[in-house]
Amino acid sequence: MQILLIGGVALLALLLGFVAALYPAAVVGLLALVVAAFAVALARRRVRRRIVEYTADPRLSLELMLFPLAVSVRQSAVVTVGLVGLLTLAMLCRRRDPESGRANLLPFGMLAAAAVMVFRVDIGMPVVVAALAVLFLWAAAVKVPRPVALPSLATGVGVYLIANVLGHFARVPSPLDASRLGGYETSSGFFGQRLVFPFARSINEPAVMAAAYLAIVAAMWIIGRKVGPLRWLGVAAAGYVMFGSNSRLPFIVAALLIAATLLTPLLTRRLATPVVAVSGALPFYLPVALPIIAAVAESIANIDYLSRGQSVQDIIGLGTRGTIWEGSTQFWLNRVDVLHQLLGYGPNGHAASGANRTYLSGLGGFLADKTNLTMHNSFLQQLFDGGLVGLGLLAAALLIVLRRYAKDVSLLPQLLFVAVLGVGAASEIILAPGFTQTPFFLLLAFAAFAPAAAASKRREVRQPQTANSLS
């Protein structure tokens, strides 16, 4: 039965590959065919054992390992739906592990509800992808134990980075190729320009993922876990992505978090949540933070790689972000009615509300399609997309996930990963549900497998009482 199931999945993937090959970007069809071949390989224990050897993990969920890459394919919405659908089907047909538990419904449900607040007014392919991802992760949380799921997701991020590097060398077309970046792709970094990677929604998304991956692997090494050759290969890919993207914030955040963890893991666990909260709210208190930003900008301006040829004043203005945040917050306070303040405008709320008109005039020809100039802050973007309700759900879920992973030192790698995503969300829309970027799906995954700390404490209290009563 299992052989027939895997054969059916492989056949479906092959058919999907042929359909995708009819699109102008023939490489998309090739990608689907490669995934189909990998699905056939799942039927062979020898391949599974070899991958386990390369990752230094006794068990591994290949479905979770492929999940980050599957949700990152942007060349064709049909192919993305097909890939995530295949993984969902495979997970639903998987046998339940006796050691598995269930999804942590509080943060997981809150993130799903935050996405519903955005997509309620625009049902399309992104909604289908998001729905399949939610179903996949719910099934994974029920059938895969946490000690297996979390290392599998970490390995999957490495696979995502390796695929981006290989895709870049293979000249796989990127969805960003059609967008004109208005000179912002220039760089004083190692490659002379900021590289655009194929499986990413924005130019900075891969850099944030690379920083988060470096943090999770560093934390694994710090607490004494084996990393394995495949993850080290992911580290090499992360370095290439980091330097190629030439994004300042992910580089700085990863370096600081890794250094702090080396010095004092306990302090890192305690400070991760407040650091993410303070950084995420930056647009709302930017004038107060300008003296600190100015001091940091002067240091950055002296480093060619980080300055990207910008002056101190440009860096103090956070590129275009200072102008965007100032115009957006004033627009929301003075011109948005109560109903939209509560519920938002749906996807691309910055354009639907007209808030982008307050800052576009000051930024010149930044993009060919000016609606693509988002608010560069996941929480401000969610405020316009999903309103106060959507923002509250997103922020609360993120803080809950951070606190849950901060409870146990063995979960330090996952804590650092989520913390890097949270700080990165302060300057990018990577966690805004309306844009369905890969980091949001990873946050959703780590929310599903977050430990239920309160429940475990209650069980620990009841066990001694039961033993005494039996004696």
Side-chain angles (χ1 to χ4, degrees):
M1 182 63 184
Q2 290 183 351
I3 295 177
L4 290 175
L5 175 63
I6 294 176
V9 171
L11 179 61
L12 182 59
L14 285 169
L15 292 174
L16 179 66
F18 286 122
V19 172
L22 298 177
Y23 286 83
V27 70
V28 175
L30 179 61
L31 176 64
L33 290 173
V34 170
V35 173
F38 198 85
V40 174
L42 292 180
R44 304 182 61 182
R45 286 187 172 182
R46 195 174 359 177
V47 174
R48 182 182 293 271
R49 286 198 299 267
R50 186 64 57 84
I51 293 177
V52 170
E53 291 175 5
Y54 287 156
T55 56
D57 280 319
R59 295 181 294 173
L60 191 69
S61 167
L62 294 174
E63 298 91 346
L64 285 169
M65 181 176 147
L66 292 174
F67 176 71
L69 179 59
V71 297
S72 303
V73 176
R74 305 292 179 184
Q75 286 74 7
S76 167
V78 175
V79 173
T80 308
V81 170
L83 293 176
V84 180
L86 286 174
L87 291 181
T88 304
L89 178 62
M91 185 58 73
L92 289 173
C93 296
R94 179 187 176 113
R95 288 184 179 180
R96 185 179 186 274
D97 192 300
E99 299 178 6
S100 60
R102 58 182 181 180
N104 192 327
L105 292 180
L106 181 59
F108 184 69
M110 293 174 76
L111 287 173
V116 170
M117 287 300 302
V118 177
F119 289 121
R120 73 188 192 280
V121 298
D122 186 12
I123 299 177
M125 278 298 186
V127 179
V128 178
V129 174
L132 286 172
V134 169
L135 179 59
F136 169 81
L137 292 172
W138 173 82
V142 172
K143 298 190 174 187
V144 182
R146 185 183 301 116
V148 176
L150 294 180
S152 300
L153 288 169
T155 305
V157 177
V159 170
Y160 159 88
L161 294 168
I162 294 170
N164 269 292
V165 173
L166 294 178
H168 172 71
F169 283 118
R171 299 186 181 278
V172 176
S174 169
L176 291 177
D177 290 342
S179 299
R180 180 168 58 83
L181 299 178
Y184 278 77
E185 73 278 11
T186 59
S187 171
S188 56
F190 291 91
F191 301 98
Q193 63 177 356
R194 303 181 67 184
L195 302 184
V196 177
F197 290 94
F199 306 117
R201 180 74 182 256
S202 69
I203 194 171
N204 291 318
E205 176 191 310
V208 177
M209 291 286 285
Y213 182 75
L214 291 175
I216 203 172
V217 172
M220 290 175 66
W221 179 77
I222 290 170
I223 64 177
R225 289 185 185 170
K226 293 182 178 180
V227 176
L230 182 58
R231 293 201 185 105
W232 284 121
L233 183 60
V235 169
Y240 185 87
V241 169
M242 182 77 72
F243 289 118
S245 299
N246 197 200
S247 297
R248 284 188 290 251
L249 184 62
F251 180 86
I252 295 172
V253 170
L256 291 177
L257 276 177
I258 293 172
T261 305
L262 281 169
L263 293 174
T264 168
L266 178 60
L267 186 62
T268 303
R269 289 164 54 199
R270 289 181 175 177
L271 293 181
T273 302
V275 166
V276 170
V278 170
S279 61
L282 180 59
F284 305 98
Y285 65 87
L286 182 60
V288 179
L290 283 178
I292 299 176
I293 295 174
V296 176
E298 291 181 0
S299 300
I300 291 176
N302 296 323
I303 304 173
D304 290 340
Y305 169 74
L306 295 177
S307 67
R308 301 205 298 253
Q310 293 179 324
S311 66
V312 174
Q313 291 302 318
D314 289 335
I315 300 174
I316 292 175
L318 302 175
T320 61
R321 289 166 178 79
T323 303
I324 293 173
W325 293 347
E326 182 181 2
S328 300
T329 53
Q330 291 300 317
F331 184 92
W332 191 86
L333 290 171
N334 299 319
R335 299 177 60 180
V336 176
D337 60 83
V338 175
L339 180 63
H340 285 102
Q341 283 185 342
L342 288 174
L343 304 179
Y345 291 88
N348 292 307
H350 61 289
S353 64
N356 61 339
R357 299 191 191 98
T358 64
Y359 53 77
L360 282 177
S361 60
L363 300 178
F366 180 67
L367 289 170
D369 183 0
K370 298 188 185 305
T371 60
N372 288 334
L373 187 53
T374 62
M375 294 185 170
H376 280 284
N377 178 280
S378 295
F379 310 103
L380 184 59
Q381 186 71 50
Q382 178 68 352
L383 183 62
F384 277 84
D385 292 355
L388 287 169
V389 176
L391 173 61
L393 290 168
L394 174 63
L398 175 60
L399 295 179
I400 290 173
V401 172
L402 286 166
R403 288 184 61 84
R404 294 291 169 85
Y405 282 113
K407 295 293 184 182
D408 192 337
V409 69
S410 66
L411 299 174
L412 183 62
Q414 289 72 36
L415 172 66
L416 291 192
F417 185 89
V418 177
V420 172
L421 295 187
V423 177
S427 65
E428 304 296 334
I429 57 166
I430 55 174
L431 296 185
F435 291 84
T436 58
Q437 292 202 35
T438 306
F440 173 76
F441 288 119
L442 266 296
L443 176 61
L444 193 65
F446 281 108
F449 289 100
S456 63
K457 285 183 179 179
R458 287 196 296 269
R459 284 195 296 269
E460 290 174 1
V461 171
R462 284 199 297 266
Q463 284 175 358
Q465 294 176 353
T466 304
N468 292 334
S469 61
L470 290 174
S471 64

